[in-house]
DNA sequence: TGCAAACCATAAC
DNA sequence: GTTATGGTTTGCA
């Protein structure tokens, strides 16, 4: 039986679907309803679920981590995610996306170069990300540094990136297994958006 | 700039 | 099996 929790922190709703120690899905949004339905829609098969109101200790710590990430801060503790129910390619893309640090972005195409497949296939994985914002799909933008899409709305994606500004000056590459991933300072995106 | 064609993993038929 | 669908990219006018 999976446990699902919904909680409001500083005017944002967060939800967690989990076992005793592991995360199956997370999300956040403006309303309790959409947050809950988002999370429920990412639960694989039809695993039985109970929605609880009093958070377990594990849920409490998970909410704290979600909020830390949401605030644009470094999360020192990591949550363990249940991914074996997801397709292999999806797992690879989510894993590489997780390697993008706060303060940097990458692009759909750059991730495709790192893991194989096409930019559009990567976009499809982002759109279906069950672990928002733990897997930082908000740090994936188009190759011209415009925003691309975001489930929670582009405004939300932009605010996220603003909070993650770190002032890094240069792009860099990090090595993934046998390949590399290109990273760019968030400022490359923010600078472009002077309207 | 704008548009068409190529791209490729998934989910839905 | 097959098809339709993208949170894209690239090339060319």
């Amino acid at each position: 039986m999976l446990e699902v929790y919904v909680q409001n922190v500083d005017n944002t709703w967060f939800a967690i679907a989990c076992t005793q120690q592991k995360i199956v899905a997370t999300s956040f949004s403006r309303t309790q309803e959409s947050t809950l339905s988002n999370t429920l829609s990412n639960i694989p098969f039809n695993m039985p679920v109970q929605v609880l109101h009093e958070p377990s200790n594990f849920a409490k710590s998970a909410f704290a981590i979600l909020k830390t990430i949401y605030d644009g801060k470094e999360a020192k503790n990591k949550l363990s995610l249940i991914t074996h129910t997801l397709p292999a390619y999806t797992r690879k893309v989510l894993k590489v996306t997780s390697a993008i640090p706060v303060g940097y972005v990458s692009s759909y195409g750059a991730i495709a170069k790192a893991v194989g497949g096409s930019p559009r296939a990567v976009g499809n994985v982002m759109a279906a990300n069950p672990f928002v914002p733990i897997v930082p799909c908000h740090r994936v933008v188009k190759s011209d540094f415009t925003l691309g899409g975001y489930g929670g709305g582009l405004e939300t994606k932009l605010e996220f990136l603003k909070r993650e500004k770190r002032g890094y000056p240069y792009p860099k590459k990090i090595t993934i297994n046998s390949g590399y991933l290109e990273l760019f300072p968030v400022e490359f995106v923010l600078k472009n958006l002077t309207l």
Side-chain angles (χ1 to χ4, degrees):
Chain A
M1 179 75 79
L2 288 181
E3 301 168 358
V4 174
Y5 301 93
V6 198
Q7 179 170 303
N8 189 297
V9 187
D10 295 341
N11 280 329
T12 303
W13 288 94
F14 293 87
I16 296 170
C18 59
T19 64
Q20 295 295 318
Q21 294 293 330
K22 293 187 169 196
I23 301 291
V24 171
T26 58
S27 69
F28 72 86
S29 77
R30 226 30 208 278
T31 70
Q32 182 176 22
E33 279 179 340
S34 64
T35 306
L36 186 56
S37 67
N38 256 327
T39 303
L40 292 176
S41 71
N42 282 317
I43 291 174
F45 313 116
N46 291 316
M47 296 174 84
V49 160
Q50 52 182 339
V51 180
L52 301 174
H53 295 289
E54 204 49 43
S56 64
N57 285 333
F58 175 67
K60 279 183 198 166
S61 66
F63 276 124
I65 291 173
L66 288 186
K67 173 65 172 161
T68 302
I69 297 171
Y70 181 83
D71 286 339
K73 293 185 264 186
E74 206 75 46
K76 33 185 180 177
N77 298 320
K78 287 194 174 166
L79 291 163
S80 64
L81 311 177
I82 294 181
T83 60
H84 68 268
T85 48
L86 300 169
Y89 181 77
T90 300
R91 284 205 301 271
K92 270 205 280 189
V93 171
L94 292 179
K95 186 172 180 184
V96 169
T97 303
S98 299
I100 307 171
V102 176
Y104 288 96
V105 298
S106 190
S107 73
Y108 304 97
I111 292 175
K113 274 184 203 157
V115 307
S118 74
R120 301 198 77 172
V122 171
N124 284 335
V125 174
M126 294 301 127
N129 178 16
F131 307 109
V132 180
I134 301 173
V135 173
C137 58
H138 57 275
R139 294 180 199 143
V140 183
V141 299
K142 289 200 188 185
S143 57
D144 63 0
F145 299 113
T146 57
L147 282 177
Y150 195 67
L154 291 183
E155 186 69 16
T156 305
K157 186 171 185 172
L158 178 58
E159 293 303 319
F160 238 114
L161 295 178
K162 283 183 187 169
R163 277 179 239 128
E164 296 189 345
K165 270 202 292 189
R166 289 296 184 277
Y168 297 128
Y170 306 121
K172 70 173 182 180
K173 294 175 182 177
I174 57 175
T175 60
I176 303 304
N177 25 276
S178 81
Y180 64 88
L181 178 66
E182 284 185 288
L183 301 177
F184 308 89
V186 227
E187 281 78 0
F188 280 33
V189 176
L190 301 177
K191 196 179 299 180
N192 246 21
L193 292 177
T194 48
L195 303 175

